Amino acid sequence: MDATTDNSQRRPFSIKLWPPSENTRKMLVERMTNNLSSPTIFTRKYRSLSKEEAAKNAEEIEDAAFTIANQHYEKEPDGDGSSAVQLYARECSKLILEILKKTPKSEDKEISISEVVPTVQETFFDISKGKRAFIEAEEAQELLKPLKEPGNSYSKICFSNRSFGIDAARIAGPILATLKDQLKEVDLSDFVAGRNEAEALDVMNIFSEALEGSNLKFLNLSDNALGEKGVRAFGKLLQSQTNLEELFLMNDGISQEAANAVSELVPSTEKLKILHFHNNMTGDEGAVAIAEIVKRSPLLEDFRCSSTRVGSEGGSALCEALGMCSHLKKLDLRDNMFGPEVGLVLSKALSQHENLKEIYLSYLNLEDEGAIAIANALKDSAPSLAVLEMAGNDITAEAASAIASCIAAKQLLAKLSLGENELKDEGVIQIAKALEGHKHLTEVDMSSNALRRAGARVLAQTVLQKDEFKLLNVNGNFISEEGVDELKEIFKKSPEMLASLEDNDPEGEDEGDEEKESGDEDVEDELESKLKNLDVKQEASVDAHAPDSN
């Protein structure tokens, strides 16, 4: 039952308005200090505070408002933090006024923020910090003591990163049973690591029985190597949930049988918004079972089924089911064995997704056929697409025109990953042209694409014009030494924006391209000149060695 958290995947890009940066918080405190210490429309009735008084109260106001807004953010339905920001601002304004009202001109009494805002009760109980370790009965008794306090307001608990033995579970079980009516979020990821199978299953049964009948919105059972036995050990908990909005079963050994058990035991997913199955051994038949869950989840916004050993049959079933999820905002199907035929099925589903903002389709064996179909579908849907990943799909320059047309239509695109393909200069320059008008672009990955000096130069010059740009990756290509020097010169004022080039092979040659010397800039310049003038909205095929028809 031992399992470790998979950190190999990079965290997907996501646009968030909350939390504010430390610098933003400090600036707000300074502004409130000035407001509290300067004459205002209230000075006829209320006195202004001294600078010292104002500074102290401003810090306390900001801290109180941040706490209230942050607790709201944890339950925020849309997840982007916009309503938390609005609440944060309203609370600051309200508390400033309350402080002023408490300080009439006739009084010199110093007012504390605690007099105008009630104490915010803690709602999140978390024992996951620190080193990963076993927990036994005595430590559990002490550690879980706050959960036994009468009238506590804990609605969210996290027991991750601490491995519960049977004795510790017997302590935790009754405590959780007394809290289950108030709990909304439960994180039991990685909580039986290192235990033998029999003990781990007993622990799961105890927790499942204790939490049976709770009304959870969030449940995380990841990193527990569940398999079918583990899923069924949590049967009582799963069967009693009818309002789940977020379910995580990552790195759990979810086989075909386990996937069938999940589909059977989760009675209702009508309110489900987030469903993650990353890094399992689901396979085709298991994917069919997961597809049934997806079909029952019309409100699904975030679906992840990456690294799950799914092939053509299971991939087709999943993609067909996704066609019913019109609210989808984020889709991650990376690292499966779909093939181009699944790409065609997925393209039909994507035509329904107007709300899609992030899509991760790397390492799916899509090839040109699947990539073109998906690009054409996305071109006419997903107007707010911010992240597009299609790395490692054997995509060649033949698909570049369709991809470029799609990209040209996505003016909110921030991250583009097409690494480990075969786009070459021909394809990359077409895509670079499509990126010219994109103001929000922050990251482009064109690594390992048999790219040479001309393509790298055009791409670099394009992205450097973006105010928000952060990183260009063209490592692992065939850029000449002169080309590398040229890239470094282009990025000399912001070298951090150019990823390492240590895996670049300046003498690399492609199959069928032996006659082209790495230092032959004439052919590259001709190619660059021709492709920069292409209309990316039209299908086009350019031969790098053909004379210019014009």
Side-chain angles (χ1 to χ4, degrees):
M1 284 286 171
D2 193 7
T4 56
T5 303
D6 178 13
N7 292 319
S8 62
Q9 296 283 343
R10 292 181 62 185
R11 189 177 181 180
F13 174 86
S14 183
I15 299 173
K16 296 288 185 182
L17 300 177
W18 187 266
S21 67
E22 285 300 318
N23 188 51
T24 298
R25 296 181 66 182
K26 288 179 181 177
M27 289 176 63
L28 181 58
V29 169
E30 291 176 3
R31 190 177 305 147
M32 288 192 293
T33 299
N34 290 332
N35 289 340
L36 287 166
S37 60
S38 303
T40 70
I41 59 173
F42 300 102
T43 51
R44 292 182 179 179
K45 188 174 182 180
Y46 311 114
R47 72 175 175 86
S48 298
L49 278 61
S50 68
K51 274 287 185 182
E52 294 75 15
E53 248 186 310
K56 178 183 176 184
N57 278 282
E59 288 182 1
E60 292 176 342
I61 288 171
E62 191 282 330
D63 185 65
F66 178 85
T67 300
I68 292 169
N70 200 50
Q71 289 184 0
H72 169 81
Y73 172 69
E74 292 176 354
K75 302 174 183 178
E76 193 176 47
D78 57 14
D80 67 355
S82 56
S83 60
V85 170
Q86 294 172 5
L87 179 60
Y88 180 52
R90 286 199 305 271
E91 287 297 318
C92 285
S93 299
K94 181 180 76 173
L95 294 175
I96 287 174
L97 182 57
E98 290 298 324
I99 284 289
L100 291 172
K101 285 181 177 180
K102 290 284 184 176
T103 54
K105 282 188 172 182
S106 59
E107 296 183 11
D108 292 323
K109 178 185 175 184
E110 183 174 319
I111 300 299
S112 169
I113 190 67
S114 61
E115 297 182 48
V116 298
V117 62
T119 301
V120 179
Q121 288 190 298
E122 187 64 58
T123 61
F124 183 26
F125 183 79
D126 185 3
I127 62 171
S128 68
K129 310 304 180 187
K131 293 183 178 180
R132 198 159 174 255
F134 279 24
I135 179 173
E136 304 301 341
E138 185 175 348
E139 184 183 1
Q141 190 77 48
E142 183 64 26
L143 201 58
L144 304 182
K145 190 179 294 183
L147 296 177
K148 298 169 67 176
E149 294 178 359
N152 75 75
S153 298
Y154 292 112
S155 60
K156 178 179 179 181
I157 60 171
C158 178
F159 286 179
S160 181
N161 205 43
R162 302 300 297 271
S163 180
F164 280 75
I166 188 66
D167 293 334
R170 286 172 178 156
I171 297 296
I175 296 174
L176 292 178
T178 64
L179 295 174
K180 66 181 179 182
D181 290 340
Q182 68 191 55
L183 290 177
K184 297 299 180 185
E185 301 186 22
V186 171
D187 187 343
L188 298 179
S189 60
D190 192 23
F191 87 125
V192 290
R195 305 292 178 177
N196 63 59
E197 181 179 290
E199 182 177 25
L201 291 173
D202 285 342
V203 170
M204 292 175 189
N205 273 301
I206 290 172
F207 275 78
S208 178
E209 290 178 2
L211 293 168
E212 181 183 7
S214 55
N215 186 22
L216 303 180
K217 292 185 177 181
F218 171 103
L219 179 61
N220 189 350
L221 301 178
S222 301
D223 304 304
N224 287 310
L226 295 175
E228 183 187 8
K229 291 180 182 178
V231 171
R232 294 197 179 279
F234 276 113
K236 290 184 178 180
L237 170 60
L238 292 171
Q239 285 181 315
S240 66
Q241 301 308 305
T242 57
N243 291 307
L244 269 182
E245 295 181 5
E246 303 180 40
L247 177 60
F248 298 84
L249 293 166
M250 301 186 290
N251 195 27
D252 265 333
I254 302 294
S255 61
Q256 169 195 338
E257 294 78 13
N260 285 329
V262 173
S263 182
E264 168 195 334
L265 292 171
V266 180
S268 173
T269 56
E270 290 182 0
K271 298 182 180 180
L272 202 63
K273 295 181 179 180
I274 300 178
L275 180 60
H276 283 199
F277 278 97
H278 168 69
N279 198 30
N280 286 299
M281 49 186 185
T282 310
D284 279 337
E285 295 184 5
V288 172
I290 295 173
E292 292 302 313
I293 301 174
V294 172
K295 288 178 183 178
R296 304 197 301 262
S297 309
L299 300 181
L300 199 62
E301 296 179 0
D302 180 349
F303 179 64
R304 185 179 187 186
C305 192
S306 51
S307 302
T308 47
R309 306 182 188 181
V310 178
S312 176
E313 181 183 352
S316 295
L318 279 176
C319 293
E320 287 177 2
L322 287 168
M324 304 179 186
C325 304
S326 59
H327 295 273
L328 205 63
K329 296 179 180 178
K330 181 177 177 182
L331 177 61
D332 186 347
L333 299 172
R334 285 175 287 188
D335 191 22
N336 284 298
M337 302 170 286
F338 283 5
E341 61 275 13
V342 179
L344 299 178
V345 179
L346 179 58
S347 69
K348 295 178 181 178
L350 292 176
S351 63
Q352 309 298 318
H353 296 319
E354 292 298 311
N355 300 309
L356 197 63
K357 294 182 178 180
E358 302 176 31
I359 185 164
Y360 303 87
L361 303 176
S362 298
Y363 310 106
L364 295 176
N365 302 321
L366 294 175
E367 301 178 4
D368 287 340
E369 183 182 10
I372 290 171
I374 289 170
N376 288 337
L378 287 174
K379 177 184 175 182
D380 298 323
S381 62
S384 300
L385 193 68
V387 180
L388 174 59
E389 285 199 10
M390 296 178 71
N393 276 302
D394 296 322
I395 302 172
T396 74
E398 290 185 18
S401 182
I403 294 173
S405 295
C406 171
I407 290 171
K410 307 304 166 191
Q411 290 299 307
L412 296 179
L413 192 67
K415 180 178 178 182
L416 175 65
S417 176
L418 289 166
E420 298 186 52
N421 285 301
E422 293 290 332
L423 288 166
K424 300 185 179 180
D425 283 19
E426 179 182 339
V428 170
I429 292 176
Q430 290 185 69
I431 291 169
K433 180 174 176 58
L435 290 169
E436 287 180 355
H438 290 59
K439 298 179 180 180
H440 303 286
L441 196 67
T442 63
E443 185 173 339
V444 172
D445 184 350
M446 287 289 185
S447 58
S448 302
N449 261 290
L451 192 61
R452 294 183 182 272
R453 181 177 180 178
R457 180 201 306 130
V458 173
L459 187 58
Q461 291 170 338
T462 299
V463 301
L464 195 62
Q465 306 304 314
K466 315 298 180 184
D467 293 337
E468 299 179 21
F469 197 76
K470 296 179 180 178
L471 186 65
L472 171 65
N473 185 358
V474 288
N475 199 14
N477 283 300
F478 303 151
I479 306 169
S480 66
E481 292 180 1
E482 294 82 2
V484 169
D485 291 339
E486 186 176 25
L487 287 176
K488 291 180 179 178
E489 177 65 21
I490 291 172
F491 286 97
K492 66 180 180 180
K493 292 184 179 180
S494 49
E496 73 284 354
M497 289 168 54
L498 181 63
S500 168
L501 292 167
E502 63 179 11
D503 293 329
N504 178 64
D505 181 5
E507 298 182 358
E509 297 201 356
D510 308 327
E511 183 179 350
D513 197 29
E514 291 83 357
E515 76 280 5
K516 182 175 180 178
E517 297 294 332
S518 61
D520 185 359
E521 297 299 325
D522 292 338
V523 176
E524 291 191 346
D525 288 342
E526 179 186 353
L527 173 65
E528 177 184 343
S529 176
K530 290 167 62 178
L531 290 179
K532 285 183 72 173
N533 294 318
L534 278 178
D535 182 355
V536 297
K537 296 181 180 180
Q538 302 296 323
E539 291 291 337
S541 176
V542 178
D543 184 346
H545 302 289
D548 194 328
S549 59
N550 295 325

